[in-house]
Amino acid sequence: MTEASAATKSNTCKSENLPSPGPLTEAQRKLVKATVPVLEAHGQEITSRFYKEMLEANPELGNVFNHSKQQKGDQADALARAVYAYAANIDDITPLRPVIERVCNKHTSLHITPSQYAIVGKHLLQAIAEVVGTNVFSGDLYEAWVVAYWQLAHLFIDREAELYKQAGWVGWKHFVVSRKVIETDDITSFYLSPKDETPLPPFRPGQYISVQKFVKELGLYQSRQYSLSDSPNPNHFRISVKRERGIRAVDSSTGAVDLAQDMQLGLISNLLHDTLIEGDGIEVAFPYGDFFLDDSIAPVVLISAGVGLTPLTSMLHAVLEGPSPRQVSWIQVVRSLSSHPLNAEVRRLLELKPSLVRRAIFYSDPGAAVGEDCDFKGRLDISLVPTETLRLDDPIVEYYVCGPEAFMVDVIRGLRLRGVSIDRIHVEVFGAGAVPLD
């Protein structure tokens, strides 16, 4: 894998050779909307077929897609919901704009190119026809979907072109592991430095990088996104990776792990933990992501669970290490003191400007004792956090939330019940699911 040249960066942004059939007519909108019930009933069958046929015809795309999520069906499910949502909102896609922005950032972190949209379009429309029936999905209905697909595709392509132009590099850049630090039993920090030793540009606190490794057993490159967990540094990026322990597919005759059928979510996290050592090489994408600290001086409340603290730790660095008078609350839940990642670092940051800081730390381990290290015992419950710590009396406070999906849903609901408007709540979504915000 080579670094992208200026020419490659330019070509990444080009879409002039792709179909551009123009806006949908009113008649075409009605035809697309008429397929909504079909998509609701058969969406996952369509998208499962789509992925299977597309990857069989274009095996090189196996280097782009998450193998574990393909095996579990997560990507097919996510695409099915996305296609359904697009058809249901074809008259006005404004409600989908935040999702489009999130997906565009993900795409650029994986170096998705305009030409790949032609491949996706071909196989998606083919899959719909195969499931619905070519005698039904033809003529005006088929043409309406061609126009609808390319209308959406160009929204993605144009926004991704903007992101590529803003990036310090496009595609994969060679890095090496300059440090590897074990934080807890299941979280390790990796300090990644450019192999060419060129200074790194700053990123926005809260953003992530994609890292890529070749998985010999799969015969594929696999990529994952990890939040940057400290402040921008010209010499390195830091990611703090949790080892995801899942169900492994084991060959019953040999007892060996069959990675080709691996159903574990943590394929790459385990590879990084177990095999990546200081001095090893790794491919890294430029930082992207739409979850980042804004540039105002409004107070912020940072709420995390487990390894969800990583992007919020980067935000905490930004707030407390500079000259900003910004007030901050740190609200966090972890299992126990021994499993508390980056604890000493966060404590040091909170002590830099004690007059600006409030905290509420929960330890869910029943054996934990409330004291210097934690303020509450049990799961994080927003109703237990004091009003002054949540800064509920300040109408301009911004809330940033990161953790497992169910945790974020609970936090959002808890904040809404305590009067926080949805436009002030920001969440990081990495999984295939979507966190409801209302």
Side-chain angles (χ1 to χ4, degrees):
M1 303 296 287
T2 60
E3 297 178 31
S5 65
T8 301
K9 184 170 182 175
S10 175
N11 291 335
T12 297
C13 303
K14 290 182 178 179
S15 60
E16 59 264 27
N17 295 325
L18 298 176
S20 185
L24 285 158
T25 66
E26 184 58 32
Q28 288 172 328
R29 291 182 190 276
K30 289 179 179 179
L31 286 170
V32 171
K33 284 191 290 186
T35 61
V36 168
V38 176
L39 295 174
E40 186 174 21
H42 302 288
Q44 191 157 20
E45 181 185 358
I46 291 169
T47 54
S48 296
R49 183 184 292 263
F50 153 74
Y51 277 119
K52 180 177 183 295
E53 294 177 353
M54 181 181 68
L55 291 173
E56 285 178 353
N58 302 272
E60 72 281 1
L61 292 181
N63 294 306
V64 176
F65 292 100
N66 183 317
H67 172 80
S68 295
K69 289 183 178 179
Q70 282 289 311
Q71 293 292 316
K72 286 174 63 63
D74 287 351
Q75 284 183 328
D77 179 61
L79 180 59
R81 284 186 276 107
V83 173
Y84 169 83
Y86 178 53
N89 289 275
I90 197 68
D91 287 330
D92 179 12
I93 65 168
T94 301
L96 304 182
R97 292 285 181 177
V99 176
I100 291 172
E101 180 66 13
R102 174 160 58 92
V103 173
C104 286
N105 275 269
K106 178 79 171 286
H107 282 179
T108 47
S109 80
L110 294 171
H111 194 211
I112 300 299
T113 62
S115 63
Q116 290 168 336
Y117 281 91
I119 298 172
V120 169
K122 171 187 172 182
H123 289 280
L124 179 60
L125 296 175
Q126 177 179 305
I128 296 174
E130 290 171 354
V131 172
V132 174
T134 54
N135 59 323
V136 175
F137 196 68
S138 61
D140 290 344
L141 177 59
Y142 181 85
E143 289 304 317
W145 265 98
V146 169
V147 177
Y149 172 78
W150 281 107
Q151 178 176 279
L152 181 62
H154 282 290
L155 286 177
F156 282 100
I157 291 167
D158 292 346
R159 176 58 181 144
E160 288 159 20
E162 293 174 355
L163 292 170
Y164 283 130
K165 288 176 181 177
Q166 296 166 9
W169 67 89
V170 173
W172 301 104
K173 183 178 174 71
H174 298 301
F175 277 62
V176 295
V177 180
S178 51
R179 288 180 64 200
K180 179 178 179 179
V181 178
I182 297 174
E183 306 287 358
T184 67
D185 287 346
D186 60 357
I187 295 176
T188 294
S189 290
F190 297 89
Y191 292 75
L192 310 177
S193 300
K195 187 174 182 180
D196 61 11
E197 299 184 348
T198 56
L200 293 170
F203 57 88
R204 304 197 73 168
Q207 290 187 308
Y208 56 79
I209 55 172
S210 285
V211 299
Q212 177 177 255
K213 289 291 289 182
F214 184 76
V215 181
K216 181 175 61 176
E217 294 85 352
L218 297 178
L220 295 170
Y221 285 91
Q222 286 287 278
S223 311
R224 297 294 185 271
Q225 291 73 46
Y226 295 107
S227 297
L228 293 157
S229 61
D230 65 357
S231 53
N233 185 301
N235 300 315
H236 67 255
F237 292 142
R238 185 181 75 178
I239 55 175
S240 301
V241 179
K242 180 182 179 182
R243 181 196 293 272
E244 298 291 348
R245 303 182 188 276
I247 300 171
R248 308 217 68 174
V250 179
D251 187 309
S252 58
S253 60
T254 66
V257 173
D258 181 3
L259 284 181
Q261 298 298 322
D262 194 359
M263 296 295 288
Q264 102 165 348
L265 286 174
L267 172 63
I268 298 302
S269 70
N270 280 274
L271 185 149
L272 298 182
H273 274 253
D274 294 338
T275 69
L276 199 65
I277 62 174
E278 293 180 2
D280 280 355
I282 190 168
E283 306 291 333
V284 177
F286 188 78
Y288 291 100
D290 62 329
F291 178 76
F292 51 78
L293 188 68
D294 65 27
D295 295 325
S296 75
I297 59 170
V300 291
V301 176
L302 309 177
I303 307 175
S304 67
V307 77
L309 93 160
T310 52
L312 304 190
T313 301
S314 179
M315 295 181 186
L316 194 66
H317 276 277
V319 171
L320 295 177
E321 288 185 328
S324 171
R326 202 167 190 176
Q327 296 177 328
V328 61
S329 290
W330 180 261
I331 302 173
Q332 179 186 24
V333 60
V334 294
R335 287 197 308 273
S336 63
L337 179 61
S338 63
S339 61
H340 195 156
L342 307 177
N343 186 27
E345 177 177 330
V346 168
R347 287 171 64 91
R348 177 187 64 79
L349 290 170
L350 295 179
E351 292 167 359
L352 289 176
K353 298 178 180 177
S355 63
L356 301 179
V357 170
R358 296 169 188 164
R359 76 165 210 187
I361 295 176
F362 290 71
Y363 279 177
S364 60
D365 186 337
V370 175
E372 182 181 355
D373 295 306
C374 76
D375 306 294
F376 299 91
K377 185 165 64 174
R379 295 179 59 196
L380 193 152
D381 184 343
I382 287 295
S383 68
L384 298 178
V385 180
T387 297
E388 58 270 20
T389 303
L390 281 174
R391 304 181 186 274
L392 296 173
D393 296 331
D394 192 330
I396 65 169
V397 174
E398 299 290 325
Y399 297 81
Y400 294 85
V401 186
C402 189
E405 187 173 313
F407 164 83
M408 292 193 289
V409 170
D410 286 345
V411 169
I412 292 165
R413 288 173 178 162
L415 290 173
R416 296 295 303 279
L417 287 172
R418 298 190 69 173
V420 178
S421 60
I422 196 62
D423 61 298
R424 294 191 286 130
I425 303 173
H426 314 277
V427 299
E428 175 64 292
V429 181
F430 276 115
V435 177
L437 292 179
D438 51 22

